[in-house]
Amino acid sequence: LIDIFGEAKIFDQTKKEWVSQKTDFLNSNQMSIYGITISVIQKKALIVYKNKLMREVDKEDIKMLSE
């Protein structure tokens, strides 16, 4: 997942409605990849995000992230 804009609309399966999803860049982790520093969402925030989407791939990701 690459977030360039910082805000998107997602369909929240828990609420059954479209909601704004903002990226909290201030609480992201800074990582160096091939000499470039990038912001990476925190694991806990990624799990919360994927719990809202609840697609099959998200369910699999949540299971893997929770191990």
Side-chain angles (χ1 to χ4, degrees):
L1 176 64
I2 299 174
D3 185 344
I4 299 171
F5 301 105
E7 183 173 351
K9 289 267 189 183
I10 64 166
F11 190 77
D12 186 332
Q13 291 290 348
T14 62
K15 295 180 179 180
K16 302 292 185 202
E17 66 184 16
W18 288 94
V19 296
S20 290
Q21 177 72 32
K22 293 183 181 180
T23 302
D24 185 359
F25 289 109
L26 295 176
N27 287 318
S28 62
N29 299 316
Q30 301 299 306
M31 299 185 73
S32 180
I33 307 293
Y34 298 109
I36 300 170
T37 301
I38 61 170
S39 297
V40 178
I41 189 171
Q42 292 183 352
K43 183 177 174 180
K44 182 179 177 182
L46 181 59
I47 292 171
V48 168
Y49 171 73
K50 288 187 165 286
N51 270 311
K52 290 179 182 179
L53 295 175
M54 289 309 288
R55 301 168 299 184
E56 285 304 314
V57 67
D58 297 310
K59 292 175 187 177
E60 291 176 33
D61 290 344
I62 292 166
K63 183 178 175 183
M64 297 283 286
L65 289 166
S66 299
E67 292 178 351

